[in-house]
């Protein structure tokens, strides 16, 4: 049965009209589903009509892991028993929820635990939205208050641009003012550079974009992100250069810093050539090891040294503080136990 969470507000309105119900009820229902508001009730008859067609089920929390740094990782079970991980990351009294877009991932990045799983299936928009609703209501119960809606990053399991239609459907619901009303600047989508999906970016709202760059050299990047063989940096940048950016909008370039691999002066020089004329912020992420990983994390001196190399080359650079690595919830460490 289709999920009620897969419907946009206009789709819900059309359904109600077809069933001789008032379209106004769609807004009330959206507030029930997404804002937990119970100011106006919906008649049992309407609920019955909806329940004959749609499921109200959400992903179930199978396990919760908490890090002393405040990161919370959920293993969520979907209707078919498959599982995905969702992470709540604290940041300055707010939380960001890191959503998965697929069960597993087809991209097979060599630094990523999810990449070792292969792709099991795409998530439906309702399953992407469901992760958010479940994580946000867990947070509300934990804190006993109604926290500000968490920001969203599509950086969990899966390549979001390999599942564009469902991700677009989820964005529509996330940004609906009658529902969650999350602003485009509160949402970041990160891609490994899956070019067929990048060519559809024009269909997306103006959310923040991040590219997993990790090396300015095709040869090294190919080792880290195998799809770079088919979609090299030249083509990726051509696609990115066509993305319209607002005045103060930048594209974030994620740079997983791996000891001895991509932390050399040549890397900094090449990054300068590639990014100095673009609206770019480089986000250095010291590599997070996972069981069986072949790479080493650089020590903090090496991280600082590489950051200084970039700053000297006038590149906007920051270092991402690693959160949740003790519970395998940091970047590249997600892997559901059962798929
Ligand atoms: S880094 Fe992202 S795109 Fe690459 S394998 Fe992991 S989940 Fe997939």
């Amino acid at each position: 049965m289709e999920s009620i969470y897969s419907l946009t507000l206009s789709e819900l309105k059309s359904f109600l009209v077809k069933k001789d119900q008032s379209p106004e009820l769609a807004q009330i229902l959206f507030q029930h589903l997404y804002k937990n508001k119970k100011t106006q009730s919906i008649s049992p008859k309407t609920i019955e009509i909806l329940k004959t067609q749609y499921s109200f089920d959400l992903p179930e929390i199978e396990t919760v892991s908490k890090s002393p740094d405040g990161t919370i990782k959920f293993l969520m079970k979907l209707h078919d028993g498959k599982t995905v991980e969702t992470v709540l990351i604290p940041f300055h009294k707010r939380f960001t929820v890191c959503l998965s877009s697929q069960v597993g991932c087809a991209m097979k990045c060599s630094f990523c635990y999810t990449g070792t799983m292969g792709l099991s299936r795409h998530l439906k928009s309702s399953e992407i939205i469901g992760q958010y609703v479940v994580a946000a209501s867990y947070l509300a119960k934990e804190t006993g208050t109604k926290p500000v809606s968490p920001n969203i990053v599509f950086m969990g399991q899966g390549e979001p641009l390999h599942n564009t239609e469902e991700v677009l459907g989820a964005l529509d619901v996330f940004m609906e003012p009658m529902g969650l009303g999350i602003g485009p600047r509160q949402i970041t989508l990160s891609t490994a550079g899956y070019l067929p999906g990048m060519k559809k970016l024009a269909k997306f709202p103006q959310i923040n974009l991040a590219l997993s760059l990790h090396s300015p050299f095709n040869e090294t990047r190919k080792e880290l992100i195998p799809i770079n063989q088919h979609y090299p940096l030249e083509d990726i940048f051509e696609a990115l250069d066509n993305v319209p950016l607002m005045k103060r909008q930048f594209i974030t370039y994620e740079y997983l810093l791996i000891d001895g691999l991509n932390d050399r002066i040549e890397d900094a020089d090449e990054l300068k050539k590639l990014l100095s004329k673009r609206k770019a912020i480089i986000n250095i992420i010291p590599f997070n090891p996972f069981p069986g990983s072949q790479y080493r994390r650089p020590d903090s001196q090496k991280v600082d040294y590489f950051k200084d190399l970039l700053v000297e080359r006038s590149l906007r650079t920051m270092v991402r503080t690693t959160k949740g690595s003790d519970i395998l919830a940091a970047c590249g460490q997600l892997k559901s136990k059962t798929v």
Side-chain angles (χ1 to χ4, degrees), residues 105 107-109 111-112 114-115 156 158-159 192:
C105 182
M107 304 298 135
K108 293 192 165 44
C109 301
F111 55 85
C112 170
T114 307
E159 161 58 57

Side-chain angles (χ1 to χ4, degrees), residues 113-300:
Y113 208 9
T114 307
T116 64
M117 292 165 63
L119 177 66
S120 178
R121 70 169 173 87
H122 295 304
L123 291 188
K124 307 292 284 177
S125 63
S126 56
E127 294 170 321
I128 298 170
I129 297 160
Q131 292 172 65
Y132 185 93
V133 172
V134 170
S137 63
Y138 179 93
L139 201 55
K141 276 190 207 131
E142 276 281 286
T143 55
T145 54
K146 197 178 177 313
V148 188
S149 301
N151 290 345
I152 292 174
V153 290
F154 281 91
M155 293 185 187
Q157 290 167 293
E159 161 58 57
L161 294 182
H162 191 208
N163 187 17
T164 40
E165 292 312 313
E166 299 298 326
V167 170
L168 276 168
L171 287 174
D172 197 317
V173 171
F174 286 141
M175 294 173 65
E176 169 55 53
M178 285 296 147
L180 289 162
I182 300 170
R185 313 321 301 278
Q186 287 175 260
I187 302 175
T188 301
L189 181 145
S190 173
T191 178
Y194 180 65
L195 199 60
M198 293 180 79
K199 290 188 173 158
K200 296 181 189 162
L201 279 172
K203 288 163 87 181
F204 278 68
Q206 278 198 312
I207 55 174
N208 303 312
L209 258 189
L211 173 78
S212 297
L213 180 60
H214 307 331
S215 172
F217 296 106
N218 277 316
E219 274 312 301
T220 311
R221 195 169 184 270
K222 210 158 64 181
E223 184 194 317
L224 295 166
I225 305 177
I227 55 160
N228 194 83
Q229 291 174 51
H230 308 291
Y231 314 124
L233 285 168
E234 300 71 35
D235 296 351
I236 289 173
F237 276 99
E238 194 183 323
L240 281 180
D241 290 342
N242 283 326
V243 175
L245 295 177
M246 287 190 284
K247 210 170 168 197
R248 295 222 202 115
Q249 195 178 1
F250 292 79
I251 290 180
T252 301
Y253 293 89
E254 286 156 3
Y255 199 87
L256 195 70
L257 200 65
I258 299 174
D259 193 17
L261 185 85
N262 58 0
D263 54 356
R264 305 157 309 162
I265 291 177
E266 303 92 284
D267 295 301
D269 286 339
E270 197 64 21
L271 283 169
K272 181 178 177 185
K273 281 190 212 155
L274 208 52
L275 298 178
S276 61
K277 295 212 166 59
R278 294 185 156 101
K279 290 175 82 181
I281 295 181
I282 302 175
N283 195 358
I284 297 176
I285 309 163
F287 173 64
N288 296 306
F290 57 82
S293 58
Q294 53 181 308
Y295 302 117
R296 284 191 317 270
R297 183 185 176 94
D299 61 33
S300 56

